[in-house]
Amino acid sequence: MTCGTPSTPATPPNGSSASSCFDDDFADRFDFDVLDATKLIPEELVPVVPIGRLVLDRVVDNFFAETEQVAFCTQNVVPGIDFTNDPLLQGRNFSYLDTQIKRLGGPNFTHIPVNAPKCPVAHFQQDGHMAITNPTGRANYEPNSWSDPDRGPREDPVTGFTTFPEEVPGGAKRRARPELFADHYSQARQFYVSQMPIEQQHIVNGFVFELSKVERPDIRARMVANLRNVDEGFALLVADGLGLDLPSAARRPGPLSPTCPRRARSASWPTGR
């Protein structure tokens, strides 16, 4: 048996990490569209700047758990970074997620340790196929009228995710909806008034049945208050079925769109579905 000095461990594989950065004004001076995937941006015009070094200093303990199940996804970004209008990137934001859901068995692939976030994450997403967490609390939606701890996580403008305020025509890009999204009632009214009386009664019965299972009377009253903005007669019938005094109508957050009147029905109006 021959003894000798242990050999020096091999240097782990490593490489530089670099990036090319430019702003919109600089991009506008190119002779081509920088979002064109068939074009290369010359390094003479936009130098490659080293930003770090990647070192592969560990071999996976279990190939299946840490390699086969890893789910890279272009949607995963940190605060301060957002998505360009690159059509390839926009397509991958959808297709990568679909791929991981199919490949890893469902929407909860982020529960797998290799894909799980390293920091605490608070959101209302829960349940679904192969869920392995056990969330607590009464509500998984927002807004809600519950109090802590049943109220659930709150938005945090300091530590929570925020959209990069990209400048677009008319100001900075925001996660906001136009005022017309405040119309929550006209479509519901249009549907209700288009029904035959027996069909309207079925709708009333359905609301009474479901709301009668709600434990808190104030939530029942709040729902009926919203129904007053759909149809007064509708709200009155539901309130009567629940044994409630008719509450004041809920405040409308914006102007309502015109609704179509009840359509005259002739003898030839279809009676089935």
mmCIF file with all atom_site columns, all heavy atoms in Angstrom, residues 38-55:
data_model
loop_
_atom_site.group_PDB
_atom_site.id
_atom_site.type_symbol
_atom_site.label_atom_id
_atom_site.label_alt_id
_atom_site.label_comp_id
_atom_site.label_asym_id
_atom_site.label_entity_id
_atom_site.label_seq_id
_atom_site.pdbx_PDB_ins_code
_atom_site.Cartn_x
_atom_site.Cartn_y
_atom_site.Cartn_z
_atom_site.occupancy
_atom_site.B_iso_or_equiv
_atom_site.pdbx_formal_charge
_atom_site.auth_seq_id
_atom_site.auth_comp_id
_atom_site.auth_asym_id
_atom_site.auth_atom_id
_atom_site.pdbx_PDB_model_num
ATOM 1   N N   . THR A 1 38 ? -34.201 38.487 -33.344 1.00 0.00 ? 38 THR A N   1
ATOM 2   C CA  . THR A 1 38 ? -33.231 38.060 -34.363 1.00 0.00 ? 38 THR A CA  1
ATOM 3   C C   . THR A 1 38 ? -32.012 38.982 -34.418 1.00 0.00 ? 38 THR A C   1
ATOM 4   O O   . THR A 1 38 ? -31.114 38.758 -35.219 1.00 0.00 ? 38 THR A O   1
ATOM 5   C CB  . THR A 1 38 ? -33.891 38.020 -35.751 1.00 0.00 ? 38 THR A CB  1
ATOM 6   O OG1 . THR A 1 38 ? -34.242 39.362 -36.151 1.00 0.00 ? 38 THR A OG1 1
ATOM 7   C CG2 . THR A 1 38 ? -35.145 37.152 -35.734 1.00 0.00 ? 38 THR A CG2 1
ATOM 8   N N   . LYS A 1 39 ? -31.967 40.012 -33.590 1.00 0.00 ? 39 LYS A N   1
ATOM 9   C CA  . LYS A 1 39 ? -30.878 40.991 -33.626 1.00 0.00 ? 39 LYS A CA  1
ATOM 10  C C   . LYS A 1 39 ? -29.962 40.828 -32.408 1.00 0.00 ? 39 LYS A C   1
ATOM 11  O O   . LYS A 1 39 ? -30.397 40.430 -31.342 1.00 0.00 ? 39 LYS A O   1
ATOM 12  C CB  . LYS A 1 39 ? -31.450 42.417 -33.646 1.00 0.00 ? 39 LYS A CB  1
ATOM 13  C CG  . LYS A 1 39 ? -32.369 42.713 -34.821 1.00 0.00 ? 39 LYS A CG  1
ATOM 14  C CD  . LYS A 1 39 ? -31.615 42.645 -36.142 1.00 0.00 ? 39 LYS A CD  1
ATOM 15  C CE  . LYS A 1 39 ? -32.463 43.172 -37.290 1.00 0.00 ? 39 LYS A CE  1
ATOM 16  N NZ  . LYS A 1 39 ? -33.667 42.338 -37.537 1.00 0.00 ? 39 LYS A NZ  1
ATOM 17  N N   . LEU A 1 40 ? -28.684 41.133 -32.610 1.00 0.00 ? 40 LEU A N   1
ATOM 18  C CA  . LEU A 1 40 ? -27.697 41.166 -31.541 1.00 0.00 ? 40 LEU A CA  1
ATOM 19  C C   . LEU A 1 40 ? -27.285 42.607 -31.292 1.00 0.00 ? 40 LEU A C   1
ATOM 20  O O   . LEU A 1 40 ? -27.058 43.370 -32.245 1.00 0.00 ? 40 LEU A O   1
ATOM 21  C CB  . LEU A 1 40 ? -26.467 40.336 -31.909 1.00 0.00 ? 40 LEU A CB  1
ATOM 22  C CG  . LEU A 1 40 ? -26.673 38.822 -32.042 1.00 0.00 ? 40 LEU A CG  1
ATOM 23  C CD1 . LEU A 1 40 ? -25.376 38.162 -32.506 1.00 0.00 ? 40 LEU A CD1 1
ATOM 24  C CD2 . LEU A 1 40 ? -27.132 38.225 -30.723 1.00 0.00 ? 40 LEU A CD2 1
ATOM 25  N N   . ILE A 1 41 ? -27.165 42.977 -30.030 1.00 0.00 ? 41 ILE A N   1
ATOM 26  C CA  . ILE A 1 41 ? -26.743 44.332 -29.682 1.00 0.00 ? 41 ILE A CA  1
ATOM 27  C C   . ILE A 1 41 ? -25.221 44.348 -29.614 1.00 0.00 ? 41 ILE A C   1
ATOM 28  O O   . ILE A 1 41 ? -24.629 43.622 -28.804 1.00 0.00 ? 41 ILE A O   1
ATOM 29  C CB  . ILE A 1 41 ? -27.358 44.765 -28.339 1.00 0.00 ? 41 ILE A CB  1
ATOM 30  C CG1 . ILE A 1 41 ? -28.884 44.767 -28.457 1.00 0.00 ? 41 ILE A CG1 1
ATOM 31  C CG2 . ILE A 1 41 ? -26.851 46.137 -27.924 1.00 0.00 ? 41 ILE A CG2 1
ATOM 32  C CD1 . ILE A 1 41 ? -29.599 45.070 -27.170 1.00 0.00 ? 41 ILE A CD1 1
ATOM 33  N N   . PRO A 1 42 ? -24.539 45.125 -30.459 1.00 0.00 ? 42 PRO A N   1
ATOM 34  C CA  . PRO A 1 42 ? -23.068 45.114 -30.489 1.00 0.00 ? 42 PRO A CA  1
ATOM 35  C C   . PRO A 1 42 ? -22.463 45.530 -29.155 1.00 0.00 ? 42 PRO A C   1
ATOM 36  O O   . PRO A 1 42 ? -22.884 46.519 -28.539 1.00 0.00 ? 42 PRO A O   1
ATOM 37  C CB  . PRO A 1 42 ? -22.732 46.130 -31.595 1.00 0.00 ? 42 PRO A CB  1
ATOM 38  C CG  . PRO A 1 42 ? -23.985 46.262 -32.397 1.00 0.00 ? 42 PRO A CG  1
ATOM 39  C CD  . PRO A 1 42 ? -25.106 46.059 -31.442 1.00 0.00 ? 42 PRO A CD  1
ATOM 40  N N   . GLU A 1 43 ? -21.448 44.762 -28.706 1.00 0.00 ? 43 GLU A N   1
ATOM 41  C CA  . GLU A 1 43 ? -20.781 45.091 -27.456 1.00 0.00 ? 43 GLU A CA  1
ATOM 42  C C   . GLU A 1 43 ? -19.989 46.386 -27.578 1.00 0.00 ? 43 GLU A C   1
ATOM 43  O O   . GLU A 1 43 ? -19.683 47.025 -26.560 1.00 0.00 ? 43 GLU A O   1
ATOM 44  C CB  . GLU A 1 43 ? -19.854 43.945 -27.040 1.00 0.00 ? 43 GLU A CB  1
ATOM 45  C CG  . GLU A 1 43 ? -20.593 42.673 -26.663 1.00 0.00 ? 43 GLU A CG  1
ATOM 46  C CD  . GLU A 1 43 ? -19.650 41.592 -26.157 1.00 0.00 ? 43 GLU A CD  1
ATOM 47  O OE1 . GLU A 1 43 ? -18.490 41.920 -25.813 1.00 0.00 ? 43 GLU A OE1 1
ATOM 48  O OE2 . GLU A 1 43 ? -20.074 40.420 -26.099 1.00 0.00 ? 43 GLU A OE2 1
ATOM 49  N N   . GLU A 1 44 ? -19.629 46.778 -28.790 1.00 0.00 ? 44 GLU A N   1
ATOM 50  C CA  . GLU A 1 44 ? -18.921 48.040 -28.964 1.00 0.00 ? 44 GLU A CA  1
ATOM 51  C C   . GLU A 1 44 ? -19.807 49.224 -28.580 1.00 0.00 ? 44 GLU A C   1
ATOM 52  O O   . GLU A 1 44 ? -19.307 50.269 -28.156 1.00 0.00 ? 44 GLU A O   1
ATOM 53  C CB  . GLU A 1 44 ? -18.448 48.201 -30.412 1.00 0.00 ? 44 GLU A CB  1
ATOM 54  C CG  . GLU A 1 44 ? -17.390 47.192 -30.848 1.00 0.00 ? 44 GLU A CG  1
ATOM 55  C CD  . GLU A 1 44 ? -18.003 45.860 -31.238 1.00 0.00 ? 44 GLU A CD  1
ATOM 56  O OE1 . GLU A 1 44 ? -19.253 45.764 -31.266 1.00 0.00 ? 44 GLU A OE1 1
ATOM 57  O OE2 . GLU A 1 44 ? -17.239 44.918 -31.504 1.00 0.00 ? 44 GLU A OE2 1
ATOM 58  N N   . LEU A 1 45 ? -21.101 49.052 -28.765 1.00 0.00 ? 45 LEU A N   1
ATOM 59  C CA  . LEU A 1 45 ? -22.032 50.127 -28.420 1.00 0.00 ? 45 LEU A CA  1
ATOM 60  C C   . LEU A 1 45 ? -22.536 50.010 -26.987 1.00 0.00 ? 45 LEU A C   1
ATOM 61  O O   . LEU A 1 45 ? -22.760 51.022 -26.317 1.00 0.00 ? 45 LEU A O   1
ATOM 62  C CB  . LEU A 1 45 ? -23.221 50.099 -29.386 1.00 0.00 ? 45 LEU A CB  1
ATOM 63  C CG  . LEU A 1 45 ? -22.899 50.323 -30.863 1.00 0.00 ? 45 LEU A CG  1
ATOM 64  C CD1 . LEU A 1 45 ? -24.171 50.235 -31.701 1.00 0.00 ? 45 LEU A CD1 1
ATOM 65  C CD2 . LEU A 1 45 ? -22.219 51.670 -31.060 1.00 0.00 ? 45 LEU A CD2 1
ATOM 66  N N   . VAL A 1 46 ? -22.723 48.788 -26.536 1.00 0.00 ? 46 VAL A N   1
ATOM 67  C CA  . VAL A 1 46 ? -23.192 48.557 -25.161 1.00 0.00 ? 46 VAL A CA  1
ATOM 68  C C   . VAL A 1 46 ? -22.228 47.569 -24.507 1.00 0.00 ? 46 VAL A C   1
ATOM 69  O O   . VAL A 1 46 ? -22.375 46.353 -24.661 1.00 0.00 ? 46 VAL A O   1
ATOM 70  C CB  . VAL A 1 46 ? -24.634 47.997 -25.137 1.00 0.00 ? 46 VAL A CB  1
ATOM 71  C CG1 . VAL A 1 46 ? -25.096 47.854 -23.693 1.00 0.00 ? 46 VAL A CG1 1
ATOM 72  C CG2 . VAL A 1 46 ? -25.573 48.890 -25.916 1.00 0.00 ? 46 VAL A CG2 1
ATOM 73  N N   . PRO A 1 47 ? -21.224 48.045 -23.800 1.00 0.00 ? 47 PRO A N   1
ATOM 74  C CA  . PRO A 1 47 ? -20.218 47.148 -23.212 1.00 0.00 ? 47 PRO A CA  1
ATOM 75  C C   . PRO A 1 47 ? -20.851 46.194 -22.190 1.00 0.00 ? 47 PRO A C   1
ATOM 76  O O   . PRO A 1 47 ? -21.835 46.508 -21.529 1.00 0.00 ? 47 PRO A O   1
ATOM 77  C CB  . PRO A 1 47 ? -19.246 48.115 -22.534 1.00 0.00 ? 47 PRO A CB  1
ATOM 78  C CG  . PRO A 1 47 ? -19.472 49.438 -23.186 1.00 0.00 ? 47 PRO A CG  1
ATOM 79  C CD  . PRO A 1 47 ? -20.923 49.461 -23.559 1.00 0.00 ? 47 PRO A CD  1
ATOM 80  N N   . VAL A 1 48 ? -20.232 45.015 -22.107 1.00 0.00 ? 48 VAL A N   1
ATOM 81  C CA  . VAL A 1 48 ? -20.650 44.026 -21.116 1.00 0.00 ? 48 VAL A CA  1
ATOM 82  C C   . VAL A 1 48 ? -19.974 44.370 -19.795 1.00 0.00 ? 48 VAL A C   1
ATOM 83  O O   . VAL A 1 48 ? -18.736 44.469 -19.721 1.00 0.00 ? 48 VAL A O   1
ATOM 84  C CB  . VAL A 1 48 ? -20.271 42.600 -21.567 1.00 0.00 ? 48 VAL A CB  1
ATOM 85  C CG1 . VAL A 1 48 ? -20.628 41.589 -20.487 1.00 0.00 ? 48 VAL A CG1 1
ATOM 86  C CG2 . VAL A 1 48 ? -20.984 42.260 -22.862 1.00 0.00 ? 48 VAL A CG2 1
ATOM 87  N N   . VAL A 1 49 ? -20.758 44.552 -18.749 1.00 0.00 ? 49 VAL A N   1
ATOM 88  C CA  . VAL A 1 49 ? -20.246 44.960 -17.447 1.00 0.00 ? 49 VAL A CA  1
ATOM 89  C C   . VAL A 1 49 ? -20.319 43.782 -16.480 1.00 0.00 ? 49 VAL A C   1
ATOM 90  O O   . VAL A 1 49 ? -21.413 43.251 -16.227 1.00 0.00 ? 49 VAL A O   1
ATOM 91  C CB  . VAL A 1 49 ? -21.058 46.145 -16.882 1.00 0.00 ? 49 VAL A CB  1
ATOM 92  C CG1 . VAL A 1 49 ? -20.520 46.560 -15.513 1.00 0.00 ? 49 VAL A CG1 1
ATOM 93  C CG2 . VAL A 1 49 ? -21.028 47.317 -17.858 1.00 0.00 ? 49 VAL A CG2 1
ATOM 94  N N   . PRO A 1 50 ? -19.185 43.317 -15.922 1.00 0.00 ? 50 PRO A N   1
ATOM 95  C CA  . PRO A 1 50 ? -19.233 42.232 -14.938 1.00 0.00 ? 50 PRO A CA  1
ATOM 96  C C   . PRO A 1 50 ? -19.988 42.668 -13.686 1.00 0.00 ? 50 PRO A C   1
ATOM 97  O O   . PRO A 1 50 ? -19.804 43.784 -13.185 1.00 0.00 ? 50 PRO A O   1
ATOM 98  C CB  . PRO A 1 50 ? -17.752 41.976 -14.624 1.00 0.00 ? 50 PRO A CB  1
ATOM 99  C CG  . PRO A 1 50 ? -16.998 42.568 -15.768 1.00 0.00 ? 50 PRO A CG  1
ATOM 100 C CD  . PRO A 1 50 ? -17.811 43.743 -16.232 1.00 0.00 ? 50 PRO A CD  1
ATOM 101 N N   . ILE A 1 51 ? -20.844 41.790 -13.191 1.00 0.00 ? 51 ILE A N   1
ATOM 102 C CA  . ILE A 1 51 ? -21.612 42.102 -11.979 1.00 0.00 ? 51 ILE A CA  1
ATOM 103 C C   . ILE A 1 51 ? -21.402 41.073 -10.881 1.00 0.00 ? 51 ILE A C   1
ATOM 104 O O   . ILE A 1 51 ? -21.899 41.233 -9.768  1.00 0.00 ? 51 ILE A O   1
ATOM 105 C CB  . ILE A 1 51 ? -23.122 42.204 -12.283 1.00 0.00 ? 51 ILE A CB  1
ATOM 106 C CG1 . ILE A 1 51 ? -23.644 40.904 -12.888 1.00 0.00 ? 51 ILE A CG1 1
ATOM 107 C CG2 . ILE A 1 51 ? -23.404 43.386 -13.198 1.00 0.00 ? 51 ILE A CG2 1
ATOM 108 C CD1 . ILE A 1 51 ? -25.157 40.906 -13.122 1.00 0.00 ? 51 ILE A CD1 1
ATOM 109 N N   . GLY A 1 52 ? -20.655 40.006 -11.169 1.00 0.00 ? 52 GLY A N   1
ATOM 110 C CA  . GLY A 1 52 ? -20.431 39.005 -10.144 1.00 0.00 ? 52 GLY A CA  1
ATOM 111 C C   . GLY A 1 52 ? -19.784 37.764 -10.717 1.00 0.00 ? 52 GLY A C   1
ATOM 112 O O   . GLY A 1 52 ? -19.308 37.748 -11.859 1.00 0.00 ? 52 GLY A O   1
ATOM 113 N N   . ARG A 1 53 ? -19.784 36.700 -9.908  1.00 0.00 ? 53 ARG A N   1
ATOM 114 C CA  . ARG A 1 53 ? -19.171 35.442 -10.312 1.00 0.00 ? 53 ARG A CA  1
ATOM 115 C C   . ARG A 1 53 ? -20.050 34.300 -9.827  1.00 0.00 ? 53 ARG A C   1
ATOM 116 O O   . ARG A 1 53 ? -20.513 34.297 -8.687  1.00 0.00 ? 53 ARG A O   1
ATOM 117 C CB  . ARG A 1 53 ? -17.770 35.329 -9.723  1.00 0.00 ? 53 ARG A CB  1
ATOM 118 C CG  . ARG A 1 53 ? -16.930 34.232 -10.342 1.00 0.00 ? 53 ARG A CG  1
ATOM 119 C CD  . ARG A 1 53 ? -15.463 34.399 -9.960  1.00 0.00 ? 53 ARG A CD  1
ATOM 120 N NE  . ARG A 1 53 ? -14.596 33.564 -10.781 1.00 0.00 ? 53 ARG A NE  1
ATOM 121 C CZ  . ARG A 1 53 ? -14.196 33.892 -11.992 1.00 0.00 ? 53 ARG A CZ  1
ATOM 122 N NH1 . ARG A 1 53 ? -14.568 35.039 -12.526 1.00 0.00 ? 53 ARG A NH1 1
ATOM 123 N NH2 . ARG A 1 53 ? -13.430 33.084 -12.702 1.00 0.00 ? 53 ARG A NH2 1
ATOM 124 N N   . LEU A 1 54 ? -20.286 33.337 -10.681 1.00 0.00 ? 54 LEU A N   1
ATOM 125 C CA  . LEU A 1 54 ? -21.068 32.159 -10.333 1.00 0.00 ? 54 LEU A CA  1
ATOM 126 C C   . LEU A 1 54 ? -20.110 31.000 -10.087 1.00 0.00 ? 54 LEU A C   1
ATOM 127 O O   . LEU A 1 54 ? -19.270 30.688 -10.942 1.00 0.00 ? 54 LEU A O   1
ATOM 128 C CB  . LEU A 1 54 ? -22.037 31.809 -11.468 1.00 0.00 ? 54 LEU A CB  1
ATOM 129 C CG  . LEU A 1 54 ? -23.137 32.831 -11.779 1.00 0.00 ? 54 LEU A CG  1
ATOM 130 C CD1 . LEU A 1 54 ? -23.944 32.371 -12.985 1.00 0.00 ? 54 LEU A CD1 1
ATOM 131 C CD2 . LEU A 1 54 ? -24.047 33.013 -10.579 1.00 0.00 ? 54 LEU A CD2 1
ATOM 132 N N   . VAL A 1 55 ? -20.245 30.393 -8.917  1.00 0.00 ? 55 VAL A N   1
ATOM 133 C CA  . VAL A 1 55 ? -19.383 29.277 -8.544  1.00 0.00 ? 55 VAL A CA  1
ATOM 134 C C   . VAL A 1 55 ? -20.252 28.077 -8.213  1.00 0.00 ? 55 VAL A C   1
ATOM 135 O O   . VAL A 1 55 ? -21.132 28.144 -7.347  1.00 0.00 ? 55 VAL A O   1
ATOM 136 C CB  . VAL A 1 55 ? -18.504 29.630 -7.331  1.00 0.00 ? 55 VAL A CB  1
ATOM 137 C CG1 . VAL A 1 55 ? -17.612 28.439 -6.949  1.00 0.00 ? 55 VAL A CG1 1
ATOM 138 C CG2 . VAL A 1 55 ? -17.648 30.856 -7.618  1.00 0.00 ? 55 VAL A CG2 1
#
